Amino acid sequence: DTGVSQDPRHKITKRGQNVTFRCDPISEHNRLYWYRQTLGQGPEFLTYFQNEAQLEKSRLLSDRFSAERPKGSFSTLEIQRTEQGDSAMYLCASSLAGASGNTIYFGEGSWLTVV
Amino acid sequence: AQKITQTQPGMFVQEKEAVTLDCTYDTSDQSYGLFWYKQPSSGEMIFLIYQGSYDEQNATEGRYSLNFQKARKSANLVISASQLGDSAMYFCAMREGDSGGYQKVTFGTGTKLQVIP
């Protein structure tokens, strides 16, 4: 499978715990994105990387959220001291700059439930 | 103002019929891109079709076509010959700016399509 893969697919955690999600983009894609989606809403942009550089962060990304892409390949999204409001699906996506209108291809998402 | 507006929270269509899902957008950029994605209940966002702002022809991909009316700032998705497997949420999205430059894609709130046998 050469698509975007995310791990874990589902995570239940207690409030106050830290969680980390991993994303492996499509191999030749140099751009990687994180989005958050809550029930009944479209995906909301969180942050994006071009290679290993984090070029944009949404105001939605509070200080408790951090994303890295250390070698320009896979990425991690960490949420510290989780809150119930963090419960959502976290979507990772990737694209190749300039190709096909920079179409973004998504993974299957990581569902987070904070109890 | 909303960047992407999808005014139909839910739609029903009879199997084998065509259906149009509405999308209007708001941007002052000359170069931009419009996308449609399908999200089944499993959660994965599946890319369907892309239209660039400078593309003169409406995009088509199999049973999907994008009715692009630039002056009206609309980018409606037409699904022909609906199938039961088309039942899903459909999201319209817009990339502002040139595809090689800064990237941010904004999504609408979606339309839930249900295909009736």
Side-chain angles (χ1 to χ4, degrees), chain B residues 1-48:
Chain B
Q2 292 288 329
K3 294 275 188 184
I4 294 286
T5 302
Q6 293 182 254
T7 58
Q8 304 153 315
M11 289 279 287
F12 290 92
V13 64
Q14 202 75 38
E15 193 178 5
K16 301 181 184 178
E17 297 292 312
V19 63
T20 298
L21 306 183
D22 294 342
C23 173
T24 57
Y25 59 91
D26 182 28
T27 182
S28 56
D29 286 359
Q30 295 300 308
S31 177
Y32 53 90
L34 296 155
F35 306 85
W36 278 92
Y37 288 85
K38 172 184 178 181
Q39 188 175 44
S41 56
S42 60
E44 184 181 4
M45 294 284 285
I46 301 167
F47 166 71
L48 296 178

Short mmCIF file of all heavy atoms in Angstrom, two decimals, chain B residues 1-48:
data_model
loop_
_atom_site.label_atom_id
_atom_site.label_comp_id
_atom_site.label_asym_id
_atom_site.label_seq_id
_atom_site.Cartn_x
_atom_site.Cartn_y
_atom_site.Cartn_z
N ALA B 1 -16.22 36.09 6.37
CA ALA B 1 -17.02 35.31 5.40
C ALA B 1 -16.44 33.91 5.28
O ALA B 1 -15.23 33.73 5.39
CB ALA B 1 -16.98 36.01 4.05
N GLN B 2 -17.33 32.96 5.07
CA GLN B 2 -16.89 31.58 4.89
C GLN B 2 -16.13 31.49 3.59
O GLN B 2 -16.54 32.03 2.56
CB GLN B 2 -18.10 30.65 4.84
CG GLN B 2 -18.86 30.52 6.15
CD GLN B 2 -18.07 29.72 7.16
OE1 GLN B 2 -17.31 28.84 6.81
NE2 GLN B 2 -18.23 30.06 8.43
N LYS B 3 -15.03 30.75 3.60
CA LYS B 3 -14.28 30.55 2.37
C LYS B 3 -15.00 29.57 1.46
O LYS B 3 -15.00 29.72 0.24
CB LYS B 3 -12.89 29.99 2.72
CG LYS B 3 -12.01 30.96 3.49
CD LYS B 3 -11.29 31.88 2.56
CE LYS B 3 -10.26 32.72 3.29
NZ LYS B 3 -9.62 33.69 2.39
N ILE B 4 -15.55 28.52 2.06
CA ILE B 4 -16.25 27.48 1.30
C ILE B 4 -17.63 27.30 1.93
O ILE B 4 -17.74 27.11 3.14
CB ILE B 4 -15.49 26.14 1.37
CG1 ILE B 4 -14.14 26.25 0.67
CG2 ILE B 4 -16.33 25.02 0.77
CD1 ILE B 4 -14.22 26.27 -0.84
N THR B 5 -18.65 27.34 1.12
CA THR B 5 -20.02 27.18 1.62
C THR B 5 -20.69 26.02 0.92
O THR B 5 -20.78 25.99 -0.31
CB THR B 5 -20.84 28.47 1.39
OG1 THR B 5 -20.18 29.56 2.05
CG2 THR B 5 -22.25 28.31 1.96
N GLN B 6 -21.15 25.08 1.72
CA GLN B 6 -21.95 23.98 1.19
C GLN B 6 -23.30 24.09 1.90
O GLN B 6 -23.39 23.88 3.10
CB GLN B 6 -21.27 22.64 1.51
CG GLN B 6 -19.96 22.46 0.76
CD GLN B 6 -19.32 21.10 1.04
OE1 GLN B 6 -18.34 21.00 1.76
NE2 GLN B 6 -19.90 20.06 0.45
N THR B 7 -24.31 24.45 1.15
CA THR B 7 -25.61 24.80 1.74
C THR B 7 -26.51 23.60 1.97
O THR B 7 -27.57 23.74 2.58
CB THR B 7 -26.34 25.80 0.85
OG1 THR B 7 -26.50 25.22 -0.45
CG2 THR B 7 -25.58 27.11 0.74
N GLN B 8 -26.14 22.44 1.48
CA GLN B 8 -26.99 21.25 1.60
C GLN B 8 -26.41 20.34 2.68
O GLN B 8 -25.47 19.61 2.42
CB GLN B 8 -27.03 20.50 0.27
CG GLN B 8 -27.47 21.33 -0.91
CD GLN B 8 -26.89 20.79 -2.21
OE1 GLN B 8 -25.70 20.46 -2.27
NE2 GLN B 8 -27.70 20.68 -3.25
N PRO B 9 -26.96 20.33 3.88
CA PRO B 9 -26.44 19.42 4.91
C PRO B 9 -26.65 17.97 4.52
O PRO B 9 -25.82 17.11 4.84
CB PRO B 9 -27.25 19.77 6.15
CG PRO B 9 -27.91 21.06 5.86
CD PRO B 9 -28.02 21.17 4.37
N GLY B 10 -27.79 17.69 3.85
CA GLY B 10 -28.08 16.32 3.46
C GLY B 10 -28.84 16.28 2.16
O GLY B 10 -29.59 17.20 1.82
N MET B 11 -28.58 15.20 1.40
CA MET B 11 -29.25 15.01 0.12
C MET B 11 -29.62 13.54 -0.03
O MET B 11 -28.87 12.66 0.42
CB MET B 11 -28.31 15.39 -1.04
CG MET B 11 -28.03 16.86 -1.17
SD MET B 11 -29.35 17.72 -2.03
CE MET B 11 -29.06 17.15 -3.71
N PHE B 12 -30.75 13.30 -0.71
CA PHE B 12 -31.13 11.95 -1.07
C PHE B 12 -31.16 11.85 -2.59
O PHE B 12 -31.53 12.81 -3.27
CB PHE B 12 -32.52 11.60 -0.53
CG PHE B 12 -32.57 11.45 0.96
CD1 PHE B 12 -32.88 12.54 1.76
CD2 PHE B 12 -32.33 10.22 1.56
CE1 PHE B 12 -32.93 12.40 3.14
CE2 PHE B 12 -32.38 10.07 2.94
CZ PHE B 12 -32.69 11.18 3.73
N VAL B 13 -30.78 10.70 -3.10
CA VAL B 13 -30.87 10.47 -4.54
C VAL B 13 -31.24 9.02 -4.77
O VAL B 13 -30.81 8.13 -4.03
CB VAL B 13 -29.56 10.85 -5.27
CG1 VAL B 13 -28.41 9.94 -4.82
CG2 VAL B 13 -29.74 10.78 -6.78
N GLN B 14 -32.04 8.82 -5.79
CA GLN B 14 -32.41 7.45 -6.15
C GLN B 14 -31.24 6.80 -6.88
O GLN B 14 -30.53 7.44 -7.68
CB GLN B 14 -33.63 7.49 -7.08
CG GLN B 14 -34.46 6.23 -7.13
CD GLN B 14 -35.33 6.05 -5.91
OE1 GLN B 14 -35.87 7.00 -5.37
NE2 GLN B 14 -35.45 4.81 -5.47
N GLU B 15 -31.02 5.54 -6.59
CA GLU B 15 -29.97 4.80 -7.29
C GLU B 15 -30.14 4.95 -8.79
O GLU B 15 -31.27 4.97 -9.31
CB GLU B 15 -30.08 3.32 -6.89
CG GLU B 15 -28.90 2.46 -7.27
CD GLU B 15 -29.06 1.02 -6.81
OE1 GLU B 15 -30.13 0.68 -6.28
OE2 GLU B 15 -28.10 0.25 -6.97
N LYS B 16 -29.02 5.12 -9.49
CA LYS B 16 -28.92 5.27 -10.95
C LYS B 16 -29.27 6.68 -11.44
O LYS B 16 -29.09 6.96 -12.63
CB LYS B 16 -29.76 4.24 -11.70
CG LYS B 16 -29.37 2.80 -11.39
CD LYS B 16 -30.21 1.81 -12.15
CE LYS B 16 -29.86 0.38 -11.74
NZ LYS B 16 -30.70 -0.62 -12.43
N GLU B 17 -29.75 7.54 -10.55
CA GLU B 17 -30.02 8.91 -10.94
C GLU B 17 -28.77 9.77 -10.75
O GLU B 17 -27.84 9.39 -10.05
CB GLU B 17 -31.16 9.49 -10.09
CG GLU B 17 -32.49 8.78 -10.27
CD GLU B 17 -33.06 9.03 -11.66
OE1 GLU B 17 -33.09 10.19 -12.09
OE2 GLU B 17 -33.45 8.05 -12.32
N ALA B 18 -28.78 10.95 -11.36
CA ALA B 18 -27.68 11.91 -11.17
C ALA B 18 -28.02 12.85 -10.01
O ALA B 18 -29.19 13.08 -9.70
CB ALA B 18 -27.46 12.70 -12.44
N VAL B 19 -26.99 13.37 -9.38
CA VAL B 19 -27.19 14.31 -8.26
C VAL B 19 -26.12 15.39 -8.32
O VAL B 19 -24.99 15.14 -8.75
CB VAL B 19 -27.12 13.56 -6.90
CG1 VAL B 19 -25.75 12.94 -6.65
CG2 VAL B 19 -27.53 14.47 -5.75
N THR B 20 -26.51 16.59 -7.93
CA THR B 20 -25.59 17.73 -7.90
C THR B 20 -25.42 18.21 -6.47
O THR B 20 -26.42 18.50 -5.80
CB THR B 20 -26.10 18.89 -8.77
OG1 THR B 20 -26.18 18.45 -10.12
CG2 THR B 20 -25.15 20.08 -8.69
N LEU B 21 -24.20 18.30 -6.03
CA LEU B 21 -23.87 18.81 -4.70
C LEU B 21 -23.28 20.21 -4.87
O LEU B 21 -22.33 20.39 -5.63
CB LEU B 21 -22.88 17.89 -3.99
CG LEU B 21 -23.27 16.42 -3.89
CD1 LEU B 21 -22.24 15.64 -3.09
CD2 LEU B 21 -24.64 16.26 -3.30
N ASP B 22 -23.84 21.17 -4.15
CA ASP B 22 -23.48 22.56 -4.36
C ASP B 22 -22.26 22.98 -3.53
O ASP B 22 -22.07 22.53 -2.40
CB ASP B 22 -24.65 23.47 -3.98
CG ASP B 22 -25.85 23.30 -4.89
OD1 ASP B 22 -25.67 22.75 -6.01
OD2 ASP B 22 -26.96 23.69 -4.49
N CYS B 23 -21.50 23.89 -4.11
CA CYS B 23 -20.36 24.46 -3.41
C CYS B 23 -20.11 25.86 -3.96
O CYS B 23 -19.98 26.03 -5.17
CB CYS B 23 -19.11 23.61 -3.61
SG CYS B 23 -17.57 24.34 -2.96
N THR B 24 -20.05 26.84 -3.09
CA THR B 24 -19.61 28.18 -3.50
C THR B 24 -18.39 28.54 -2.66
O THR B 24 -18.20 28.03 -1.56
CB THR B 24 -20.70 29.24 -3.31
OG1 THR B 24 -21.12 29.24 -1.93
CG2 THR B 24 -21.89 28.96 -4.20
N TYR B 25 -17.56 29.42 -3.24
CA TYR B 25 -16.30 29.74 -2.57
C TYR B 25 -16.07 31.24 -2.62
O TYR B 25 -16.71 31.96 -3.40
CB TYR B 25 -15.15 28.97 -3.21
CG TYR B 25 -14.96 29.25 -4.69
CD1 TYR B 25 -14.11 30.27 -5.13
CD2 TYR B 25 -15.65 28.51 -5.65
CE1 TYR B 25 -13.95 30.53 -6.46
CE2 TYR B 25 -15.49 28.77 -6.99
CZ TYR B 25 -14.64 29.77 -7.40
OH TYR B 25 -14.48 30.04 -8.74
N ASP B 26 -15.16 31.67 -1.80
CA ASP B 26 -14.85 33.09 -1.70
C ASP B 26 -13.33 33.26 -1.63
O ASP B 26 -12.69 32.77 -0.70
CB ASP B 26 -15.50 33.69 -0.44
CG ASP B 26 -15.24 35.18 -0.32
OD1 ASP B 26 -15.06 35.84 -1.37
OD2 ASP B 26 -15.21 35.68 0.81
N THR B 27 -12.79 33.93 -2.62
CA THR B 27 -11.36 34.21 -2.63
C THR B 27 -11.10 35.42 -3.49
O THR B 27 -11.85 35.69 -4.43
CB THR B 27 -10.54 33.02 -3.15
OG1 THR B 27 -9.15 33.35 -3.09
CG2 THR B 27 -10.90 32.65 -4.57
N SER B 28 -10.05 36.14 -3.17
CA SER B 28 -9.61 37.26 -4.01
C SER B 28 -8.40 36.88 -4.86
O SER B 28 -7.93 37.68 -5.65
CB SER B 28 -9.29 38.48 -3.14
OG SER B 28 -8.32 38.14 -2.18
N ASP B 29 -7.91 35.65 -4.69
CA ASP B 29 -6.78 35.19 -5.48
C ASP B 29 -7.22 34.89 -6.90
O ASP B 29 -8.37 34.49 -7.14
CB ASP B 29 -6.18 33.91 -4.88
CG ASP B 29 -5.37 34.18 -3.63
OD1 ASP B 29 -5.26 35.37 -3.23
OD2 ASP B 29 -4.86 33.21 -3.05
N GLN B 30 -6.32 35.09 -7.85
CA GLN B 30 -6.59 34.75 -9.23
C GLN B 30 -6.27 33.28 -9.49
O GLN B 30 -6.89 32.62 -10.32
CB GLN B 30 -5.76 35.64 -10.18
CG GLN B 30 -6.14 37.11 -10.11
CD GLN B 30 -7.60 37.33 -10.48
OE1 GLN B 30 -8.06 36.87 -11.54
NE2 GLN B 30 -8.33 38.02 -9.60
N SER B 31 -5.26 32.79 -8.77
CA SER B 31 -4.86 31.40 -8.93
C SER B 31 -5.32 30.62 -7.70
O SER B 31 -4.96 30.96 -6.57
CB SER B 31 -3.33 31.30 -9.08
OG SER B 31 -2.92 29.96 -9.15
N TYR B 32 -6.11 29.61 -7.91
CA TYR B 32 -6.59 28.79 -6.81
C TYR B 32 -7.04 27.45 -7.36
O TYR B 32 -7.11 27.26 -8.59
CB TYR B 32 -7.75 29.47 -6.04
CG TYR B 32 -8.90 29.91 -6.90
CD1 TYR B 32 -9.98 29.06 -7.17
CD2 TYR B 32 -8.92 31.19 -7.46
CE1 TYR B 32 -11.03 29.48 -7.97
CE2 TYR B 32 -9.97 31.61 -8.26
CZ TYR B 32 -11.03 30.75 -8.50
OH TYR B 32 -12.06 31.17 -9.29
N GLY B 33 -7.30 26.52 -6.48
CA GLY B 33 -7.74 25.19 -6.90
C GLY B 33 -8.93 24.75 -6.07
O GLY B 33 -9.07 25.13 -4.90
N LEU B 34 -9.77 23.97 -6.69
CA LEU B 34 -10.97 23.48 -6.01
C LEU B 34 -10.97 21.96 -6.04
O LEU B 34 -10.60 21.34 -7.06
CB LEU B 34 -12.21 24.03 -6.70
CG LEU B 34 -12.31 25.56 -6.61
CD1 LEU B 34 -13.13 26.11 -7.75
CD2 LEU B 34 -12.86 25.98 -5.26
N PHE B 35 -11.34 21.36 -4.95
CA PHE B 35 -11.30 19.90 -4.80
C PHE B 35 -12.62 19.40 -4.23
O PHE B 35 -13.30 20.12 -3.49
CB PHE B 35 -10.20 19.49 -3.80
CG PHE B 35 -8.83 20.02 -4.10
CD1 PHE B 35 -8.44 21.29 -3.70
CD2 PHE B 35 -7.92 19.24 -4.78
CE1 PHE B 35 -7.17 21.78 -3.96
CE2 PHE B 35 -6.64 19.72 -5.05
CZ PHE B 35 -6.27 20.98 -4.63
N TRP B 36 -12.90 18.18 -4.54
CA TRP B 36 -13.98 17.46 -3.87
C TRP B 36 -13.41 16.17 -3.28
O TRP B 36 -12.63 15.47 -3.93
CB TRP B 36 -15.13 17.12 -4.82
CG TRP B 36 -16.08 18.26 -5.02
CD1 TRP B 36 -16.03 19.22 -5.99
CD2 TRP B 36 -17.25 18.55 -4.24
NE1 TRP B 36 -17.09 20.09 -5.86
CE2 TRP B 36 -17.85 19.69 -4.80
CE3 TRP B 36 -17.86 17.94 -3.14
CZ2 TRP B 36 -19.03 20.25 -4.28
CZ3 TRP B 36 -19.01 18.48 -2.62
CH2 TRP B 36 -19.58 19.63 -3.19
N TYR B 37 -13.84 15.91 -2.04
CA TYR B 37 -13.45 14.68 -1.35
C TYR B 37 -14.70 13.96 -0.88
O TYR B 37 -15.71 14.58 -0.54
CB TYR B 37 -12.59 15.00 -0.13
CG TYR B 37 -11.19 15.46 -0.45
CD1 TYR B 37 -10.93 16.79 -0.73
CD2 TYR B 37 -10.12 14.57 -0.48
CE1 TYR B 37 -9.64 17.23 -1.02
CE2 TYR B 37 -8.83 14.99 -0.77
CZ TYR B 37 -8.61 16.33 -1.04
OH TYR B 37 -7.34 16.75 -1.35
N LYS B 38 -14.57 12.63 -0.81
CA LYS B 38 -15.64 11.77 -0.30
C LYS B 38 -15.16 11.17 1.02
O LYS B 38 -14.02 10.71 1.10
CB LYS B 38 -15.92 10.66 -1.31
CG LYS B 38 -16.87 9.57 -0.84
CD LYS B 38 -16.98 8.47 -1.91
CE LYS B 38 -17.88 7.34 -1.47
NZ LYS B 38 -17.94 6.26 -2.51
N GLN B 39 -16.02 11.19 2.02
CA GLN B 39 -15.66 10.59 3.30
C GLN B 39 -16.73 9.58 3.71
O GLN B 39 -17.78 9.95 4.22
CB GLN B 39 -15.48 11.66 4.38
CG GLN B 39 -14.91 11.11 5.68
CD GLN B 39 -14.63 12.19 6.71
OE1 GLN B 39 -15.44 13.09 6.92
NE2 GLN B 39 -13.47 12.10 7.37
N PRO B 40 -16.47 8.30 3.51
CA PRO B 40 -17.42 7.27 3.98
C PRO B 40 -17.39 7.21 5.50
O PRO B 40 -16.58 7.88 6.15
CB PRO B 40 -16.88 5.98 3.36
CG PRO B 40 -15.66 6.33 2.58
CD PRO B 40 -15.29 7.75 2.85
N SER B 41 -18.25 6.38 6.05
CA SER B 41 -18.35 6.29 7.50
C SER B 41 -17.06 5.79 8.14
O SER B 41 -16.83 6.03 9.33
CB SER B 41 -19.52 5.38 7.89
OG SER B 41 -19.38 4.12 7.29
N SER B 42 -16.22 5.14 7.39
CA SER B 42 -14.94 4.67 7.93
C SER B 42 -13.99 5.82 8.26
O SER B 42 -13.04 5.65 9.03
CB SER B 42 -14.26 3.74 6.92
OG SER B 42 -14.03 4.43 5.70
N GLY B 43 -14.23 6.99 7.68
CA GLY B 43 -13.45 8.17 8.05
C GLY B 43 -12.42 8.64 7.05
O GLY B 43 -11.99 9.78 7.09
N GLU B 44 -11.99 7.76 6.15
CA GLU B 44 -10.95 8.17 5.20
C GLU B 44 -11.46 9.23 4.24
O GLU B 44 -12.56 9.14 3.74
CB GLU B 44 -10.46 6.95 4.41
CG GLU B 44 -9.32 7.25 3.46
CD GLU B 44 -8.89 6.03 2.68
OE1 GLU B 44 -9.54 4.97 2.81
OE2 GLU B 44 -7.91 6.13 1.93
N MET B 45 -10.65 10.23 3.97
CA MET B 45 -10.98 11.27 3.00
C MET B 45 -10.44 10.83 1.65
O MET B 45 -9.23 10.71 1.47
CB MET B 45 -10.35 12.61 3.39
CG MET B 45 -10.89 13.19 4.65
SD MET B 45 -12.51 13.93 4.41
CE MET B 45 -12.05 15.43 3.57
N ILE B 46 -11.33 10.62 0.69
CA ILE B 46 -10.94 10.10 -0.62
C ILE B 46 -11.03 11.23 -1.64
O ILE B 46 -12.10 11.81 -1.83
CB ILE B 46 -11.87 8.94 -1.02
CG1 ILE B 46 -11.80 7.82 0.03
CG2 ILE B 46 -11.49 8.41 -2.41
CD1 ILE B 46 -12.88 6.77 -0.12
N PHE B 47 -9.92 11.52 -2.30
CA PHE B 47 -9.89 12.55 -3.33
C PHE B 47 -10.71 12.11 -4.53
O PHE B 47 -10.59 10.99 -5.02
CB PHE B 47 -8.44 12.82 -3.74
CG PHE B 47 -8.32 13.61 -5.02
CD1 PHE B 47 -8.65 14.96 -5.06
CD2 PHE B 47 -7.90 13.00 -6.19
CE1 PHE B 47 -8.55 15.68 -6.23
CE2 PHE B 47 -7.79 13.72 -7.37
CZ PHE B 47 -8.11 15.06 -7.39
N LEU B 48 -11.57 13.01 -5.03
CA LEU B 48 -12.42 12.69 -6.18
C LEU B 48 -12.01 13.44 -7.44
O LEU B 48 -11.85 12.84 -8.50
CB LEU B 48 -13.88 13.02 -5.86
CG LEU B 48 -14.56 12.23 -4.75
CD1 LEU B 48 -15.98 12.74 -4.56
CD2 LEU B 48 -14.55 10.75 -5.05
#
